[in-house]
Amino acid sequence: MSNLKDVLVPDIGNFDSVDVIEILVKAGDTIAKDDSLITVESDKASMDIPAPFAGVVKEVKIKVGDKIAQGHLLLTLEAVEMAVPAAAAVLASSATPVLTVEAPKVAIPEPSRPAAEPPQKIQPAHQPLPVGESAVVNGGTLSHASPSVRKFARELGVNLALVKGSAAKNRILESDVQAFVKNELAKPRSENMGAGLGSLATLPMPVIDFSQFGDIETKPLSRIKKISGANLHRNWVTAPHVTQFDEADITDLEEFRKSMMKDAEKRGVKLTLLAFLIKASVNALKAYPNFNSSLAPDGDSLILKNYFNIGFACDTPDGLVVPVVKDVQSKDVLAIAADLGELSTKARERKLKIEEMQGGCFTISSLGGIGGTMFTPIINCPEVAILGVSRSSMQPVYNAESKEFEPRLILPMSLSYDHRVVDGADGARFTSHMRMMLSDVRRLLL
Ligand code: CAO
């Protein structure tokens, strides 16, 4: 008895005829039950027709472009198993067409049913698709991709939504997926782009020969600049930054600092404003502990720190470094100022040790000695906030009691924080706390 069986088109729903758009097997192929044989397409959907039983393809009876309907002869298959009667194997087969339905502006599921379910009618869908198995929304239009192409894309980790289909009605072919992968691999890679950027990575920078516009010279970046540049870029794109601006009245503080400078100098210490800012920031970190934290690597929790190490941005001829003043909570302003002097001298003489730049909880970047009114500092991740300080200046401030404007020394502050960790309200509370601490020197010394 011959094992040669006809394979006919099963029930494909309410369609008089569908177009054959892809033939996935050829004579001589050995196929397993449920392997896709052909892909057909109506004006609404594409679907694969699977093999009703395992066997060897003897002859394909259709070609791409044919119109076929239920009962149409697809191919002859030499069955491997004899248990299933031919007619039943074809028309009452457990094999189920696998569908992709096109519908405007909705994600379309790709039903993947157990083999025992009855053949699936084509239906519009309304539930979201599993990642990587989509009817493909591509540039605002839906594209088709057969299950075999989707399987191929999944194997390569390709998101089909990013692939442009070259066949009719934007249908994505295997060759489109291959071309996409080739194109992606050919793109210039940027080291240190930071994790998780994925398709948000920026466009490649155009390569321009500037000498066509005028005289140029090329100067290599210092090692520090290269490292800090990559870190700054990662921090900028990883942490959603918000910058809160505020001002503190430091008239009394400056008066006090100046009155203490001589004493400090006798002890070999330059008593700078930065020392007071560091002291005040620890007080604010204690009041708002979320600022003294880091996001856990899995993003599920906050790691709160019970120590208070404050980094400060230090401008050196080689670039920016951030030494860290350790255990600020147990130091007075003079001791902090002494650490600042020692660390910034070491930084400029390139003598900082690695451990002197580690363990920071929060950073202060002071440009006050240079100038400027405001700036937006970049968070020194995985810290969650950084305080920028600009140049203080005399401002007329209205005194509600005397009903007069008084000249006061006002310090501009810019607090950038990671909005994944800190809410806007707490950002404003933190700078208000800093303002309160800096405008009343007695609080600082407590
Ligand atoms: N407003 C007005 N004047 C200020 C001031 C402020 N906010 N802060 C400092 N000054 C004055 C000081 O009083 C001092 O004046 P005198 O020489 O008359 O005493 C002068 O500016 C220089 O101060 P300083 O440099 O000695 O001390 P500092 O504490 O201000 O700064 C340091 C120390 C290490 C922070 C600084 O040298 C530095 O490197 N700053 C640059 C930081 C930087 O590059 N940040 C950008 C990083 S990108 O985010």
Side-chain angles (χ1 to χ4, degrees):
M1 179 180 163
S2 169
N3 286 344
L4 205 59
K5 306 288 173 202
D6 287 346
V7 176
L8 311 181
V9 176
D11 179 4
I12 51 171
N14 302 324
F15 291 95
D16 295 339
S17 75
V18 288
D19 296 334
V20 177
I21 56 169
E22 201 172 354
I23 297 175
L24 307 165
V25 295
K26 58 182 184 321
D29 283 357
T30 301
I31 54 170
K33 181 174 177 292
D34 290 336
D35 274 0
S36 293
L37 299 174
I38 63 167
T39 306
V40 294
E41 186 178 64
S42 73
D43 56 346
K44 291 204 179 72
S46 68
M47 72 190 93
D48 275 13
I49 295 185
F53 49 87
V56 177
V57 177
K58 282 291 149 194
E59 197 182 348
V60 177
K61 301 281 194 184
I62 46 151
K63 58 184 185 319
V64 169
D66 282 358
K67 287 190 180 305
I68 57 172
Q70 184 177 353
H72 198 111
L73 177 61
L74 294 179
L75 48 82
T76 50
L77 193 60
E78 184 151 36
V80 172
E81 291 172 11
M82 283 303 298
V84 184
V90 173
L91 292 173
S93 163
S94 61
T96 303
V98 179
L99 313 180
T100 307
V101 185
E102 186 176 38
K105 294 194 175 98
V106 290
I108 307 301
E110 175 192 324
S112 173
R113 287 167 298 281
E117 278 186 22
Q120 176 72 24
K121 304 277 194 241
I122 297 176
Q123 287 172 345
H126 13 27
Q127 75 222 58
L129 284 166
V131 173
E133 293 192 19
S134 53
V136 183
V137 184
N138 200 331
T141 53
L142 282 159
S143 302
H144 301 266
S146 70
S148 59
V149 170
R150 281 196 290 278
K151 182 167 177 280
F152 180 61
R154 272 198 302 277
E155 281 165 3
L156 296 176
V158 169
N159 177 358
L160 278 180
L162 303 172
V163 180
K164 199 168 167 12
S166 63
K169 297 179 191 163
N170 301 326
R171 200 163 167 280
I172 297 169
L173 307 176
E174 191 172 306
S175 57
D176 296 323
V177 178
Q178 282 167 335
F180 175 82
V181 171
K182 235 176 164 175
N183 192 35
E184 285 299 305
L185 289 175
K187 281 183 181 168
R189 304 276 130 192
S190 170
E191 281 177 313
N192 310 308
M193 277 299 288
L197 281 182
S199 60
L200 291 174
T202 48
L203 284 174
M205 193 62 75
V207 180
I208 296 172
D209 174 11
F210 298 104
S211 67
Q212 64 184 305
F213 306 115
D215 194 28
I216 57 164
E217 59 180 289
T218 303
K219 181 179 153 198
L221 287 180
S222 70
R223 209 179 65 85
I224 289 181
K225 263 217 154 34
K226 280 195 213 165
I227 296 170
S228 62
N231 283 326
L232 287 164
H233 186 194
R234 180 204 54 208
N235 299 348
W236 178 249
V237 297
T238 306
H241 283 60
V242 176
T243 304
Q244 171 69 55
F245 300 110
D246 211 334
E247 291 176 332
D249 182 337
I250 58 165
T251 318
D252 299 340
L253 174 59
E254 269 301 89
E255 213 171 280
F256 175 74
R257 186 179 74 89
K258 282 186 177 140
S259 71
M260 296 297 292
M261 273 181 81
K262 284 243 158 60
D263 276 1
E265 265 166 37
K266 279 185 206 153
R267 297 193 217 178
V269 176
K270 185 176 177 197
L271 188 57
T272 63
L273 177 64
L274 189 54
F276 290 89
L277 292 170
I278 288 177
K279 186 79 185 160
S281 67
V282 166
N283 199 293
L285 291 176
K286 282 183 179 167
Y288 300 99
N290 276 5
F291 283 83
N292 193 17
S293 74
S294 287
L295 267 177
D298 62 6
D300 281 344
S301 52
L302 267 190
I303 300 164
L304 294 154
K305 299 159 197 170
N306 295 324
Y307 54 88
F308 299 86
N309 300 334
I310 308 295
F312 64 99
C314 186
D315 183 32
T316 77
D318 295 327
L320 178 71
V321 290
V322 184
V324 176
V325 182
K326 301 272 169 61
D327 299 320
V328 175
Q329 77 281 7
S330 59
K331 290 179 178 163
D332 60 23
V333 179
L334 266 183
I336 297 168
D339 281 4
L340 277 177
E342 191 187 321
L343 289 168
S344 44
T345 305
K346 277 189 179 174
R348 288 184 182 122
E349 293 173 357
R350 303 179 197 175
K351 288 183 183 155
L352 273 182
K353 296 190 193 122
I354 293 283
E355 56 267 28
E356 289 171 318
M357 294 185 278
Q358 285 176 336
C361 305
F362 179 83
T363 298
I364 299 184
S365 175
S366 172
L367 292 172
I370 302 167
T373 50
M374 295 278 184
F375 69 111
T376 53
I378 296 177
I379 301 162
N380 193 12
C381 298
E383 294 169 19
V384 298
I386 180 169
L387 181 73
V389 178
S390 297
R391 192 169 191 79
S392 56
S393 61
M394 276 296 176
Q395 302 281 334
V397 176
Y398 186 69
N399 183 331
E401 277 175 30
S402 65
K403 295 195 173 26
E404 279 178 7
F405 282 94
E406 292 173 4
R408 305 291 294 178
L409 188 62
I410 302 299
L411 178 76
M413 299 183 292
S414 321
L415 177 80
S416 292
Y417 56 85
D418 184 338
H419 210 345
R420 295 172 300 176
V421 177
V422 173
D423 293 335
D426 275 346
R429 285 187 190 108
F430 190 94
T431 57
S432 298
H433 192 95
M434 287 294 291
R435 197 176 55 199
M436 180 182 74
M437 297 300 299
L438 295 171
S439 41
D440 186 352
V441 71
R442 291 166 308 172
R443 290 179 191 272
L444 261 187
L445 300 175
L446 282 177

